[in-house]
Amino acid sequence: PTRDVVTLRREDKPTTIQALELNNGGVFDAFLTKSGEQLVAASPDRDSIVQAVYGRLLQREPTEAEWAIARETLGDTPTAGTAADLLW
């Protein structure tokens, strides 16, 4: 149940999503970190990173709202960490 639902008992067995996170969380985090490093190495310019992410992953141009969010996420000087945040 969600936190909004009052219940006397909660299941102690993990859900499928929780099990997947425990098994794959580290792998996914490593993938995001490596991909962020590669993006910054290939395109240190903020707008180039945004175009690369949207072009490769979504096969389209970002909307104006997405541009604003992506630019805010990457900051003025993109790092591997902020690029990984954008990918996530």
Side-chain angles (χ1 to χ4, degrees):
T2 64
R3 296 185 319 182
D4 298 338
V5 177
V6 177
T7 182
L8 298 176
R9 192 184 96 158
R10 290 189 182 268
E11 288 294 324
D12 59 354
K13 296 178 183 159
T15 65
T16 302
I17 293 173
Q18 290 169 331
L20 285 171
E21 170 60 29
L22 288 172
N23 286 330
N24 300 329
V27 173
F28 187 62
D29 182 57
F31 170 78
L32 288 175
T33 300
K34 181 74 172 171
S35 297
E37 291 168 357
Q38 290 173 345
L39 275 169
V40 171
S43 309
D45 175 68
R46 178 174 66 176
D47 288 346
S48 297
I49 293 173
V50 175
Q51 288 177 328
V53 168
Y54 275 84
R56 290 180 193 164
L57 297 179
L58 301 175
Q59 300 294 307
R60 65 174 176 82
E61 290 290 319
T63 64
E64 288 300 318
E66 290 167 337
W67 269 110
I69 293 168
R71 286 179 176 141
E72 182 180 336
T73 300
L74 289 171
D76 292 331
T77 306
T79 64
T82 58
D85 289 344
L86 179 62
L87 287 168
W88 175 247

